[in-house]
Amino acid sequence: MIRFLVSRQVLLIGVLLGTASPLTAQSPPYDVFPEVEPPYYRVRYDAAERSSDQKSSELIFPVNYTIWIPPGVNTLRGVVVHQHGCGEGSCKSGLTGAFDLHWQALAKKHDCALLAPAYEQPQEADCQMWCDPRNGSVTTFEQSLVDLGNLSGHPELASAPLALWGHSGGGHWCGGMVMIRPNRVVAAWLRSGVPLLEPNPDRPGIKPHALPEAALGVPMMCNPGTKEGVTVKDGRFAKVWPANLQFFQTVRGRGGLLGIAIDPLTAHECGNQRYLAIPWLDRCLELRLPSEPDGALRTMPTTSTWLALPTDTTAVAAQDFDGDPLQAGWLPDETIATLWMQYRKDTRVADASPPPPPKSVQLQGNRLRWRAEADLQSGIEKFIILRNGKPLAEVPTDGTNRFGRPIFQGLQYSDTPTQPLVQMEFVDQSAQRGVDHGYSVVTVNTVGLKSKPTQAGPALGGD
């Protein structure tokens, strides 16, 4: 069964996917997702009941798929997928992935939707039952695009190209999708997780993937933390680096378009990786999305390639590389290579462009509300409230973030906004009654650049 949630109503629509279990209420932490109304849509699939002799083609966990569709787009060109990792905490973080303003900016630029799955995997359950897409998750994923396309009036979702980002088990899932759906994937960013291409005797429950020729033309980036086996050789995640290196040597050794960007600061947490991942995916989308609707993905150009050895911090143009290019990570061009080198040094990816100014700033009484789009390069750190041209307050008041740069929406372990979602509003408790104050709002991105102020107008339609 599928449960559709849209416009704050629950619509029960019977759609059979194999043997479906009865609809049941969700339980924590999977019952805390934000409500949806357009341009957000959600579908939920109950777990399939699998008998002992049943094939592994049906998903044994319930799953929600939430999608954001850029307002005003007539025909979607693709889908940016933000896939969380394994365990209850990461699954919970997937509930807000589609609400991330920074990832929305990437999707909107290319007329793409932003999709965030959220699997309801109990903490001790086998993550392979969803992070290997062959175990049923590819079936529900592709069905969700059909159903979300029908809900949103965008049936092109059913066959749209995919730009994939995944953390941990989500990286395994994204890499697996490249192996089984290479002709549909624009690019894949694999944060701290890769699929196996050879059997691992230490993990016999993980079925290796075959590496098809078509997958070699899909740009991919491995993005482990340095404390996952690079500089820190022990601990829970020490085997991440050896797995990444083995995956890299196999794919790159056959000429695949694969790079490695080691995070110099982190272990398994995502840190500041989005400030490289988003520009990298932006470049891949620009070069690979079909020129015409329903067209094939374009071949990634390789004439401007830069190369870097896996553990180096310096990249060079391919023609200047001294060594075997198939032992070096692949980067699409000089622009991305420059960002990559900044990231490899200290993750302080530079940005010289100020963010877009806020929109629709409205004042009713002493309450300000506004809307804003994130800076594609650097997202949003905060907003500054001006009263009569002078700084009055900042939103949020506490801009800390233990996983990386301070972000307006906060950041969970799997690179998604915290809950409850931070609202774009401010109440001026110090406003004097009977005195007209002029208000404006400024957006500040995560490198500290400010937008032009947007003046507040009267609220429309009441509070």
Side-chain angles (χ1 to χ4, degrees):
M1 287 287 196
I2 301 172
R3 184 168 60 180
F4 292 101
L5 296 89
V6 61
S7 300
R8 303 194 181 192
Q9 298 179 8
V10 178
L11 308 176
L12 300 184
I13 301 177
V15 179
L16 194 61
L17 283 178
T19 304
S21 61
L23 285 173
T24 56
Q26 291 172 290
S27 58
Y30 310 115
D31 58 352
V32 292
F33 47 75
E35 295 185 39
V36 291
E37 56 184 20
Y40 297 93
Y41 303 85
R42 180 179 293 126
V43 292
R44 179 179 184 270
Y45 300 82
D46 266 356
E49 293 179 347
R50 185 183 298 175
S51 61
S52 59
D53 60 349
Q54 223 169 351
K55 295 182 178 179
S56 60
S57 59
E58 298 177 14
L59 185 66
I60 66 169
F61 302 124
V63 57
N64 286 280
Y65 297 93
T66 305
I67 200 167
W68 173 82
I69 295 176
V73 173
N74 292 325
T75 302
L76 291 166
R77 300 179 65 206
V79 184
V80 177
V81 180
H82 193 284
Q83 180 57 66
H84 64 72
C86 296
E88 287 189 353
S90 290
C91 291
K92 178 182 177 181
S93 75
L95 298 170
T96 60
F99 297 84
D100 192 299
L101 297 171
H102 197 177
W103 285 95
Q104 286 180 6
L106 172 66
K108 180 180 178 180
K109 178 180 176 180
H110 298 281
D111 288 345
C112 291
L114 175 61
L115 176 70
Y119 292 92
E120 299 178 19
Q121 175 212 336
Q123 181 63 31
E124 301 303 322
D126 184 2
C127 182
Q128 283 294 310
M129 292 299 100
W130 71 259
C131 73
D132 184 338
R134 298 166 297 183
N135 287 336
S137 56
V138 68
T139 303
T140 53
F141 172 78
E142 292 177 343
Q143 184 64 49
S144 78
L145 293 176
V146 173
D147 296 328
L148 289 165
N150 291 334
L151 277 177
S152 64
H154 285 278
E156 68 273 17
L157 280 171
S159 58
L162 309 172
L164 306 177
W165 178 97
H167 174 220
S168 190
H172 186 135
W173 185 87
C174 292
M177 288 292 289
V178 174
M179 301 305 135
I180 66 175
R181 297 289 189 270
N183 294 322
R184 190 174 182 179
V185 179
V186 177
W189 183 277
L190 314 179
R191 171 70 197 196
S192 298
V194 294
L196 290 185
L197 299 178
E198 300 176 7
N200 182 347
D202 295 331
R203 305 191 71 183
I206 301 180
K207 180 183 176 182
H209 284 270
L211 175 59
E213 190 71 22
L216 301 176
V218 179
M220 291 185 284
M221 181 69 79
C222 293
N223 176 219
T226 190
K227 299 175 185 178
E228 296 184 289
V230 183
T231 55
V232 178
K233 304 294 185 180
D234 56 6
R236 179 182 176 188
F237 299 111
K239 293 182 179 180
V240 170
W241 171 240
N244 274 251
L245 190 57
Q246 185 177 46
F247 180 79
F248 170 80
Q249 290 170 341
T250 301
V251 176
R252 187 68 186 137
R254 286 183 52 186
L257 307 183
L258 177 61
I260 289 185
I262 299 170
D263 188 320
L265 303 180
T266 67
H268 204 59
E269 69 277 14
C270 291
N272 288 323
Q273 58 77 41
R274 62 168 56 201
Y275 305 107
L276 181 62
I278 287 177
W280 183 85
L281 285 167
D282 175 38
R283 190 64 173 143
C284 294
L285 285 162
E286 178 184 352
L287 295 171
R288 296 210 69 209
L289 281 177
S291 302
E292 301 293 334
D294 299 322
L297 289 171
R298 289 179 286 167
T299 301
M300 190 73 180
T302 56
T303 55
S304 301
T305 296
W306 279 51
L307 299 172
L309 292 174
T311 57
D312 276 2
T313 57
T314 301
V316 298
Q319 64 267 24
D320 298 326
F321 183 76
D322 184 14
D324 182 355
L326 297 186
Q327 294 182 10
W330 179 90
L331 298 164
D333 55 31
E334 183 177 5
T335 299
I336 297 300
T338 300
L339 299 180
W340 178 92
M341 286 187 280
Q342 294 170 345
Y343 179 81
R344 282 290 292 119
K345 180 182 178 182
D346 55 15
T347 77
R348 294 183 181 179
V349 178
D351 177 16
S353 59
K359 298 180 177 180
S360 304
V361 182
Q362 297 181 1
L363 176 66
Q364 183 162 21
N366 64 342
R367 183 185 299 273
L368 276 171
R369 288 184 173 136
W370 63 92
R371 294 186 296 109
E373 294 180 358
D375 179 12
L376 179 64
Q377 290 75 28
S378 304
I380 299 174
E381 177 186 348
K382 61 186 176 183
F383 297 95
I384 298 175
I385 310 301
L386 304 177
R387 186 175 69 185
N388 302 327
K390 297 180 179 180
L392 174 65
E394 295 183 354
V395 177
T397 55
D398 179 8
T400 59
N401 170 21
R402 65 191 181 100
F403 297 122
R405 299 182 193 174
I407 300 177
F408 165 67
Q409 292 184 299
L411 195 69
Q412 297 185 86
Y413 196 70
S414 280
D415 189 65
T416 57
T418 56
Q419 290 208 68
L421 295 173
V422 183
Q423 300 301 305
M424 296 185 199
E425 65 176 30
F426 172 75
V427 178
D428 184 3
Q429 302 287 5
S430 65
Q432 294 178 288
R433 296 179 64 88
V435 176
D436 291 332
H437 296 293
Y439 294 91
S440 55
V441 182
V442 173
T443 303
V444 183
N445 67 16
T446 62
V447 296
L449 298 177
K450 299 177 182 178
S451 74
K452 294 180 179 179
T454 301
Q455 301 294 323
L460 302 176
D463 191 10

